[in-house]
């Protein structure tokens, strides 16, 4: 049947392993995984629009501009541009700050049009990589889309990649040659590129404080354009995303954690991409927690029979170990502290996230950062006590309060520990 033919073509095109027996039996039509829509078919319909345009070893187009640095085999990694087979203003393809009103289908549609060129380098000794390395670095600093020509050793081919850290992208192939046009660099990214005595963290903060988008800072950070000259290196894209969020978040915390506390309990909420968000702010000293609940048939709980929950937290003194919940933790912590910095206040913060089955495929850490940012731009619900705030959360979220409390170290601590203001 036509549907099965499309699915078989998708499997072959993306080099999906025969080990995915459930997918092979389902063929995108029987919903054996329980998802409302088949992620493979979403990807296929997006890629089918591009297949004819990339059925060659030479590709030309306007890069947003976008680059990608792999992590497998580090420090020997693949780097290269992301190129759509089209010309014009493609900037939205690599600016997640502009994706707030986009659906998963729209995001995958323009992201899967980006063809990844792969060129192997030593990330710690990249200056020996030649002209392609120089061009990739320059691309990461450019403000607007630039025209790219690339020649591949074979026709680009895709592989199904589900990753909640990085934005999705399309097929890839090893690249033999590329030629990039010229463009104007971001002022503060260019400044740090040529200042080889400026530390990488200082370069990140200087660009952020002067209004450079975080997604643009992350690109520049990943391609070795920041830091003291002898310490510069290429950083895998997924690592650079977390590193920049962490650097900015820690810097904000240096100020916000010593501010006066807010005066009431607040709840900010948002529904987007079949994710429900509730952000609880409490009138106490700094503490932070992110709790995620993944429903059965979602990306990270595809065959489960119950809701899987994971959480990470910190108290006033911060944390010394990497958060197992990974990049989402640092992205959301940074976003919360942007608001606290703006208000010149501090608070205890607990973020509740429910990922429902409509969230059929991950789209990257940006989703957490920008959703938290978006929710915090709205007017919060205000309460005099924690009980009233928790009752509101009960009315918004499907998961009952008891379950959230079982997974929350911050709330349990707040409810048990006595504070000075208890005696005032």
């Amino acid at each position: 049947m036509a549907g099965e033919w499309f699915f078989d073509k998708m499997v072959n095109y993306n080099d999906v392993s025969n080990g995915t027996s459930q997918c092979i039996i389902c063929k995108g039509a029987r919903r054996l995984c329980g998802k409302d829509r088949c992620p493979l078919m979403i990807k296929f319909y997006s890629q089918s629009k591009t297949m004819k345009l990339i059925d060659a070893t030479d590709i030309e187009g306007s890069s947003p501009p976008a680059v990608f640095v792999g992590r497998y085999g580090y420090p020997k990694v693949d780097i290269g541009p992301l190129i759509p087979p089209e010309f014009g203003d493609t900037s939205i393809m690599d600016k997640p700050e502009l994706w707030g009103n986009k659906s998963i289908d729209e995001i995958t549609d323009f992201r899967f049009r980006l063809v990844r060129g792969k060129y192997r380098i030593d990330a710690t000794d990249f200056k020996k990589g030649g002209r392609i390395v120089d061009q990739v670095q320059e691309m990461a600093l450019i403000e607007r889309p630039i025209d790219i020509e690339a020649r591949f050793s074979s026709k680009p081919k895709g592989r199904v990649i589900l990753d909640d850290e990085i934005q999705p992208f399309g097929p890839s192939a090893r690249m033999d040659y590329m030629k990039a046009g010229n463009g104007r660099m971001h002022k503060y990214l260019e400044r740090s590129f040529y200042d080889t005595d400026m530390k990488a963290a200082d370069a990140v903060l200087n660009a952020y404080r002067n209004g450079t988008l975080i997604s643009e800072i992350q690109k520049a950070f990943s391609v070795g354009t920041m830091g003291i000259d002898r310490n510069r290196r290429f950083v895998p894209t997924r690592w650079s995303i977390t590193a920049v969020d962490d650097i900015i978040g820690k810097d904000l915390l240096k100020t916000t954690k010593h501010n006066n506390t807010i005066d009431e309990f607040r709840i900010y909420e948002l529904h987007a991409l079949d994710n429900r968000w509730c952000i609880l702010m409490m009138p106490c000293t700094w503490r932070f927690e992110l709790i995620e609940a993944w429903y059965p048939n979602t990306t990270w709980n595809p065959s489960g029979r119950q809701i899987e929950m994971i959480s990470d937290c910190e108290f006033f003194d911060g944390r010394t170990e990497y958060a197992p919940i990974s990049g989402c933790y640092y992205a959301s912590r940074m976003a919360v502290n942007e608001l606290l910095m703006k208000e010149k206040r501090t608070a205890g913060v607990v973020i509740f996230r429910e990922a429902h089955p409509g969230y059929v495929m991950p789209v990257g850490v940006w989703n957490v950062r920008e959703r938290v940012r978006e929710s915090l731009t709205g007017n919060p619900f205000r309460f005099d006590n924690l009980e009233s705030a928790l009752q509101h959360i009960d009315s918004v979220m499907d998961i009952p309060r008891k379950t959230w409390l079982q997974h929350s170290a911050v709330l349990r601590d707040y409810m048990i520990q006595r504070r000075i203001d208890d005696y005032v």
Side-chain angles (χ1 to χ4, degrees), residues 95-307:
K95 276 194 172 68
E97 290 88 350
L98 304 179
W99 299 351
N101 62 345
K102 302 297 182 184
S103 67
I104 285 182
D105 298 79
E106 290 175 305
I107 294 168
T108 55
D109 185 50
F110 58 68
R111 285 299 298 183
F112 287 146
R113 298 207 300 270
L114 293 171
V115 179
R116 178 190 173 197
K118 297 191 293 186
Y119 181 73
R120 182 58 61 95
I121 66 164
D122 184 334
T124 60
D125 194 17
F126 63 85
K127 293 181 180 179
K128 296 179 181 178
R131 180 57 184 155
I132 288 181
V133 170
D134 295 337
Q135 291 183 101
V136 169
Q137 284 189 311
E138 291 168 8
M139 281 184 64
L141 306 177
I142 298 296
E143 284 185 331
R144 294 183 175 87
I146 57 172
D147 294 345
I148 303 288
E149 299 176 22
R151 184 174 63 242
F152 302 101
S153 57
S154 60
K155 295 179 182 179
K157 190 175 183 181
R159 179 181 293 273
V160 175
I161 299 174
L162 299 178
D163 196 315
D164 212 28
E165 299 288 312
I166 58 176
Q167 298 94 289
F169 52 80
S172 63
R174 198 146 300 281
M175 186 174 61
D176 298 325
Y177 163 85
M178 71 171 283
K179 180 181 179 181
N182 297 317
R184 186 174 68 181
M185 294 183 181
H186 287 279
K187 178 180 179 180
Y188 295 98
L189 299 181
E190 181 181 22
R191 181 176 296 178
S192 61
F193 177 43
Y194 289 112
D195 189 345
T196 56
D197 294 321
M198 182 187 296
K199 293 181 179 179
D202 292 336
V204 167
L205 296 172
N206 181 59
Y208 171 75
R209 291 166 183 163
N210 284 285
T212 308
L213 296 179
I214 287 181
S215 62
E216 294 168 338
I217 299 173
Q218 290 166 343
K219 278 189 293 186
F221 187 93
S222 72
V223 297
T225 63
M226 294 179 172
I228 297 173
D229 185 59
R230 66 177 180 275
N231 296 333
R232 291 189 177 187
R233 62 194 62 201
F234 271 65
V235 179
T237 295
R238 62 182 294 145
W239 299 356
S240 69
I241 291 172
T242 298
V244 169
D245 283 331
D246 188 36
I247 289 169
I248 296 172
K250 283 181 177 177
D251 182 71
L252 294 172
L253 265 170
K254 290 178 182 177
T255 300
T256 59
K257 70 192 302 183
H258 298 293
N259 290 338
N260 293 328
T261 65
I262 61 175
D263 299 324
E264 74 281 298
F265 292 85
R266 304 179 188 173
I267 296 288
Y268 299 84
E269 60 183 68
L270 181 73
H271 293 184
L273 299 183
D274 209 20
N275 279 227
R276 296 185 191 179
W277 300 87
C278 270
I279 301 175
L280 167 66
M281 289 192 173
M282 303 182 293
C284 62
T285 56
W286 169 254
R287 60 206 66 187
F288 175 79
E289 187 167 38
L290 171 62
I291 313 174
E292 295 187 339
W294 290 86
Y295 276 65
N297 307 320
T298 49
T299 300
W300 306 128
N301 190 15
S303 58
R305 296 184 178 181
Q306 61 184 19
I307 299 169

Side-chain angles (χ1 to χ4, degrees), residues 72-87:
Y72 294 109
Y74 187 87
K76 300 293 194 299
V77 296
D78 288 327
I79 70 166
L82 299 178
I83 313 168
E86 58 190 79
F87 291 94

